[in-house]
Amino acid sequence: GDSVTQMEGPVTLSEEAFLTINCTYTATGYPSLFWYVQYPGEGLQLLLKATKADDKGSNKGFEATYRKETTSFHLEKGSVQVSDSAVYFCALSVDTGRRALTFGSGTRLQVQP
Amino acid sequence: DVKVTQSSRYLVKRTGEKVFLECVQDMDHENMFWYRQDPGLGLRLIYFSYDVKMKEKGDIPEGYSVSREKKERFSLILESASTNQTSMYLCASRLADTEAFFGQGTRLTVV
């Protein structure tokens, strides 16, 4: 079945450091890929998405590129802030059959001042 | 702003109680979902619905049922709550192939 694998956390960085959170996937067909963020005590919010190979999603300084050849969608940010501290989820959707997103286990990011 | 609203942020229930979690969306989405979130396990799909009165089992449906009598409302029912159902429950809705929108979550504790 479809699955998403994320690097385990927590990831602890100092402010202004470079961030990479790895995400790889297994899917039948051609999935759409998503990154969601969850701030403490809240639900999930869409951070960015990409719907086909080589697409780059970007938002709030975060970027991820859909790499079909390596089945990856790694999240990057050039300079993290304390306010980026949250849990990040990689997800996919294969748009045949059920319309639910399949999520990775989440990666907690802690940014220290 | 689009909105998915869950009826409670926090709930404490006793073992054996019947528990109802309510979710309402105002975006006219045909697809609605219930997930549970547990540390280290990410989000796991319990049930989903693609139309009024239609429902499909997700990956972990045991011990749960759902109801969708109106397009905007999707209810999760714990028939007889157990301690292993203590978790964060997240409702989401989605229009076709677009992004999913989530509610703020309900943290359920079963004692």
Side-chain angles (χ1 to χ4, degrees), chain A residues 43-99:
Chain A
L44 274 68
Q45 304 172 26
L46 179 70
L47 182 59
L48 52 84
K49 66 180 180 182
T51 58
K52 60 183 188 296
D54 300 324
D55 269 1
K56 178 186 281 189
S58 61
N59 186 25
K60 299 180 181 179
F62 291 90
E63 293 183 339
T65 301
Y66 188 140
R67 301 285 189 200
K68 186 181 174 186
E69 63 276 10
T70 55
T71 61
S72 65
F73 192 54
H74 304 321
L75 182 68
E76 297 182 336
K77 187 175 186 184
S79 176
V80 294
Q81 305 300 313
V82 172
S83 57
D84 294 326
S85 299
V87 181
Y88 292 82
F89 291 92
C90 185
L92 68 81
S93 171
V94 179
D95 298 315
T96 54
R98 73 184 196 184
R99 294 294 175 87

Side-chain angles (χ1 to χ4, degrees), chain A residues 13-69:
Chain A
L13 295 173
S14 298
E15 209 165 20
E16 300 184 2
F18 185 87
L19 168 70
T20 301
I21 300 178
N22 290 337
C23 171
T24 58
Y25 66 89
T26 302
T28 54
Y30 300 96
S32 296
L33 301 173
F34 306 85
W35 277 101
Y36 280 81
V37 59
Q38 185 180 36
Y39 298 103
E42 298 184 14
L44 274 68
Q45 304 172 26
L46 179 70
L47 182 59
L48 52 84
K49 66 180 180 182
T51 58
K52 60 183 188 296
D54 300 324
D55 269 1
K56 178 186 281 189
S58 61
N59 186 25
K60 299 180 181 179
F62 291 90
E63 293 183 339
T65 301
Y66 188 140
R67 301 285 189 200
K68 186 181 174 186
E69 63 276 10

